[in-house]
Amino acid sequence: MWRTPARRDAGAMPVIEVTDLRKSYGGRPVVDGVSFAVEEGEIFGVLGPNGAGKTTTVECVEGLRVPDAGRVRVTGLDPVADHRRVAEVLGAQLQQSELQPKLTVREALELYAAFYPKPADWRPLAERLDLVPMLDTRFAKLSGGQKQRLFIALALVGDPRVVVLDELTTGLDPRARRETWQLIEDIRAGGVTVLLVTHFMEEAQRLCDRIAVIDRGRIAALDTPAGLIRRSTGATVISFTPSAPLDEADLRALPELASAEFRDGRVTLSGTDETVNAVITLLARTRVTAHQLRVTDTTLDDAFLDLTEATA
């Protein structure tokens, strides 16, 4: 159904190249010098606050908007000048998508397949995306999750090398969202490069190999999820109720401790992984059991807030 995964070649040309991209509306810069490259086989995430320029950037990649300046290439092609050829290698699920209400799922798949010279067979695609039971269901009767699965199928029916998914899981319940995440991972496993625009931090942290954080039309950071988290000033928090009193002086002497709170017999400490390890050592040495132990790590949410606040 999907292509065999390509082996990454360090010298190979990126699938998507964006260089010094600029776009303004009414004299106001919306995208202001954005540059990034997406390698073959990646899930590349684009994060940013509302109005940061994410969708405009992606629409320039798709050839739906003409940049004011800069360079965009998809598999070496210009999305505007070579729009027809780009459409054959790039599939897209737009942020806001609708179909004719009376169109059935089968008719939509057959229609979109007819747009391409060498489309994928939509039947196994429909089976993999659990659309077979609703092939004769009209679009207006589909649930939100079913519509999203259909839009994924329509984005893939042209057998693209790269697919753009813009705010794919917005409006889905937690179960449908996690099912969609699995579908995205399956798409990449099938050899398709994914450009994913999202504002769900958990989604980006789970799926993306690298993430570009866009704020006020510029790249605020570009790194792996773990790399972005390491930049965060957020602390690791450990909280517990000790089975016996601990010496507060010993706790306040823990390495890299940022803060300590003692309330109603419960201890809450913030610091780093080194602080956590020292707490465990202290508990073992004093033979104190930590009841209701919770350790909360810094998350991509923390990193995102740090990065976007820093440029505000």
Side-chain angles (χ1 to χ4, degrees):
M1 177 175 61
W2 295 322
R3 65 184 71 251
T4 301
R7 291 190 301 176
R8 296 189 191 184
D9 182 347
M13 177 183 66
V15 175
I16 298 173
E17 291 181 282
V18 176
T19 307
D20 198 26
L21 179 66
R22 299 176 186 274
K23 183 69 178 178
S24 298
Y25 298 113
R28 183 178 67 87
V30 175
V31 179
D32 190 12
V34 165
S35 298
F36 61 86
V38 181
E39 304 298 329
E40 185 95 27
E42 274 194 301
I43 298 179
F44 187 93
V46 179
L47 290 178
N50 291 335
K54 305 185 303 294
T55 294
T56 297
T57 297
V58 169
E59 287 176 345
C60 289
V61 171
E62 295 165 329
L64 299 178
R65 295 192 184 275
V66 180
D68 295 335
R71 183 176 186 270
V72 180
R73 292 293 182 269
V74 178
T75 65
L77 302 170
D78 184 325
V80 177
D82 305 310
H83 187 72
R84 182 179 294 275
R85 293 172 64 192
V86 169
E88 293 177 3
V89 298
L90 183 146
Q93 173 269 331
L94 304 179
Q95 187 180 64
Q96 295 181 336
S97 302
E98 286 294 328
L99 295 176
Q100 205 278 338
K102 294 185 179 181
L103 198 69
T104 66
V105 170
R106 185 194 310 274
E107 290 168 341
L109 290 165
E110 290 176 342
L111 175 64
Y112 273 65
F115 295 156
Y116 299 95
K118 296 180 180 180
D121 185 347
W122 62 261
R123 294 166 185 82
L125 190 61
E127 184 175 353
R128 176 62 191 87
L129 294 171
D130 198 26
L131 292 171
V132 173
M134 58 206 69
L135 285 176
D136 296 317
T137 302
R138 299 186 189 278
F139 180 78
K141 298 294 184 180
L142 299 177
S143 69
Q146 291 167 344
K147 288 179 179 179
Q148 293 294 53
R149 294 204 300 275
L150 174 58
F151 287 133
I152 292 174
L154 298 179
L156 294 170
V157 77
D159 194 24
R161 285 183 60 188
V162 57
V163 63
V164 178
L165 305 174
D166 191 352
E167 304 283 359
L168 180 65
T169 60
T170 298
L172 298 186
D173 62 56
R175 181 181 298 278
R177 183 174 298 126
R178 289 182 179 274
E179 289 173 352
T180 302
W181 292 352
Q182 183 61 57
L183 291 175
I184 295 170
E185 290 172 332
D186 289 348
I187 290 168
R188 191 263 290 279
V192 180
T193 301
V194 179
L195 181 60
L196 177 69
V197 182
T198 182
H199 63 261
F200 290 113
M201 299 300 122
E202 183 184 3
E203 180 169 289
Q205 188 167 347
R206 167 172 166 168
L207 296 175
C208 297
D209 298 298
R210 291 187 300 141
I211 297 170
V213 179
I214 298 180
D215 192 30
R216 298 192 175 193
R218 298 183 178 183
I219 298 284
L222 199 166
D223 207 335
T224 64
L228 293 175
I229 289 170
R230 282 195 296 270
R231 300 185 189 194
S232 174
T233 58
T236 297
V237 177
I238 180 170
S239 62
F240 59 94
T241 301
S243 59
L246 289 169
D247 189 330
E248 288 192 18
D250 288 340
L251 291 170
R252 294 190 185 278
L254 292 169
E256 300 192 22
L257 181 71
S259 66
E261 180 181 327
F262 309 94
R263 180 179 298 176
D264 299 328
R266 189 160 181 83
V267 177
T268 301
L269 309 168
S270 63
T272 66
D273 288 344
E274 187 175 346
T275 312
V276 175
N277 291 333
V279 170
I280 293 171
T281 300
L282 175 63
L283 291 169
R285 187 177 73 245
T286 57
R287 298 185 178 182
V288 172
T289 300
H291 295 296
Q292 297 177 313
L293 176 66
R294 291 183 176 83
V295 178
T296 305
D297 289 326
T298 304
T299 66
L300 192 57
D301 280 283
D302 300 315
F304 177 81
L305 290 173
D306 283 348
L307 289 164
T308 52
E309 286 174 356
T311 58

